[in-house]
Every structure is written in structure tokens, then in C-alpha cells.
Amino acid sequence: MSAPLLPSTCAVALKEWATVLEAMARGEQLVLIRKGGLIEPGGGFALAAPAFVFYPTFEHQAVNYLRPEFRRSFEDAAKRRLPAAPPASSKGAAQAGAPEGRVRIDFVGAAVSSVQSADPALIRRLEPFHVYNEAFVTQRLKWQPDQPVTVVVVRVFRLPSPQVLTVAPRYAGCKSWVDLDTPLAVTGAVPVLDEAAFQRRLHALQPLLPSA
């Protein structure tokens, strides 16, 4: 399976912990493990697009949800967080849940596969492909216990240079997906894992996933 083709621009963003994005950028995490946001339509998680930019979030992430060997990702994510914008350019930022009023976009994702599962052991089985610890697994399984877990295998690409978005109030809320006001150019994005490395990881991951 070759690298997925990316569009030249992307207007769909997926919110994900900035800490997780740091781990994905190093190839340490290959999957998204989701149940949907509190205000998600229908209450569950579904792919809104096959390719999307990653919108880093800092709310709710906690270093005590990471296995010790991956906790450097929490510190690295904090270093990437943009400083507060001047007051004149931060109108509406507090309502949007981003005090700095801006968000830095570094990565693009392309979904390779997606499956749902009610198997409580699945996240633990996928441990070699994510950075979470047992506390996170327990918390995730207890939240909305009747809702299945969605596992998305993602190929991650790094943009040629970071792009900075002004945060609009409508981007706020505990939801997975954001339709951006302006599409972002993603031409020239490069996979964070080369083809051989990604295929090795994917080959090891696929037998652990339930059938679609």
C-alpha cells in the first residue's frame, strides 16, 4: 500500500491532543482511538473526510495519561504552543477555548482504515501503536460505555512549513471536526515515516485489528 494521495488544499480539521500529534510525528502512534466529542452529531465518531489537517488541542490532555517513555511528547507539545496574540487580534478567542487566539497547524492525516469495536481489550492489544497508559484506557472505556471505540489507522504528513490559523468562535466546543473558514494548502507535505518504515508498522498492526 503506497502513501495515500493528499489533496492540494484541505478545509477539514480534526481536533486531537497536541501531545498525541507529537507522538504521531515520531511514528510512535499509528492509530486514533476515538468515541466522539460531547456535542458530536449522533453521539459517536465518524470520519468526516479521508484527509484532514490536525488541529492541536491542549484541553483535557494530561501527562498522567501517557506511558512514562512517551511523556516527553507532553513537553514538546507545550513548546509548540503559540504565545498569546496581541489583544487587538484575539477577539472571540476566549469563547473559542483558545486563550492565545491562534493555532499552529503542522500535520496532515490521511485515513488508511477505520473500524469500530466494542471489545474492551482492543485498546490494550494496540499498545505498541499508541502512547496511552492504563489510566487512559480505563477512562476511555468508562466514558459512554455503550458506544463502540473507533480505531482509525492514519498516515501522518508534515507540512513544508507550519500554518497559523486565527481561531474562530465556532471552532469551540468538545467536537472532533472543524470546517475551516479558509482551506489550507497542503501541497508538499511529507510522510513522517518513509514508505518502508510505515509498511513495517502497518504489517504488524493489521492482525491486531478487528475485521471491518
Side-chain angles (χ1 to χ4, degrees), residues 45-133:
F45 180 84
L47 281 172
F52 40 84
V53 297
F54 279 111
Y55 184 119
T57 64
F58 296 84
E59 296 78 16
H60 309 304
Q61 64 174 5
V63 70
N64 60 328
Y65 281 154
L66 308 176
R67 301 201 300 280
E69 63 268 35
F70 299 118
R71 290 182 177 176
R72 69 187 185 282
S73 293
F74 188 87
E75 299 168 0
D76 292 344
K79 293 174 185 175
R80 283 185 188 269
R81 191 170 192 176
L82 294 173
S89 61
S90 61
K91 184 178 180 181
Q95 300 153 282
E100 62 274 21
R102 302 172 298 164
V103 63
R104 170 176 165 162
I105 306 294
D106 287 276
F107 304 108
V108 186
V112 175
S113 65
S114 177
V115 295
Q116 288 190 330
S117 176
D119 179 4
L122 176 61
I123 303 178
R124 296 180 179 92
R125 206 161 58 235
L126 296 177
E127 184 174 292
F129 303 96
H130 67 72
V131 298
Y132 307 116
N133 64 12

Side-chain angles (χ1 to χ4, degrees), residues 185-206:
V186 299
T187 301
V190 177
V192 298
L193 290 178
D194 64 33
E195 188 66 22
F198 180 76
Q199 291 300 330
R200 284 195 299 271
R201 295 276 282 158
L202 186 62
H203 181 75
L205 167 64
Q206 285 177 325

Side-chain angles (χ1 to χ4, degrees), residues 8-197:
S8 58
T9 63
C10 190
V12 178
L14 175 64
K15 291 184 176 181
E16 182 55 87
W17 287 359
T19 295
V20 169
L21 297 184
E22 291 293 329
M24 297 187 89
R26 287 192 281 261
E28 295 167 343
Q29 178 146 331
L30 216 65
V31 296
L32 299 173
I33 299 171
R34 306 296 289 257
K35 277 194 173 183
L38 289 173
I39 58 175
E40 215 77 64
F45 180 84
L47 281 172
F52 40 84
V53 297
F54 279 111
Y55 184 119
T57 64
F58 296 84
E59 296 78 16
H60 309 304
Q61 64 174 5
V63 70
N64 60 328
Y65 281 154
L66 308 176
R67 301 201 300 280
E69 63 268 35
F70 299 118
R71 290 182 177 176
R72 69 187 185 282
S73 293
F74 188 87
E75 299 168 0
D76 292 344
K79 293 174 185 175
R80 283 185 188 269
R81 191 170 192 176
L82 294 173
S89 61
S90 61
K91 184 178 180 181
Q95 300 153 282
E100 62 274 21
R102 302 172 298 164
V103 63
R104 170 176 165 162
I105 306 294
D106 287 276
F107 304 108
V108 186
V112 175
S113 65
S114 177
V115 295
Q116 288 190 330
S117 176
D119 179 4
L122 176 61
I123 303 178
R124 296 180 179 92
R125 206 161 58 235
L126 296 177
E127 184 174 292
F129 303 96
H130 67 72
V131 298
Y132 307 116
N133 64 12
E134 186 63 26
F136 173 88
V137 173
T138 300
Q139 180 271 347
R140 183 52 52 100
L141 293 174
K142 283 184 176 179
W143 187 73
Q144 297 190 356
D146 295 333
Q147 191 179 109
V149 169
T150 299
V151 177
V152 185
V153 180
V154 179
R155 187 85 189 260
V156 178
F157 300 76
R158 187 185 300 273
L159 292 173
S161 59
Q163 300 196 39
V164 177
L165 293 179
T166 299
V167 176
R170 68 179 186 83
Y171 296 172
C174 189
K175 55 188 176 184
S176 300
W177 298 99
V178 172
D179 291 322
L180 302 177
D181 289 338
T182 304
L184 298 183
V186 299
T187 301
V190 177
V192 298
L193 290 178
D194 64 33
E195 188 66 22

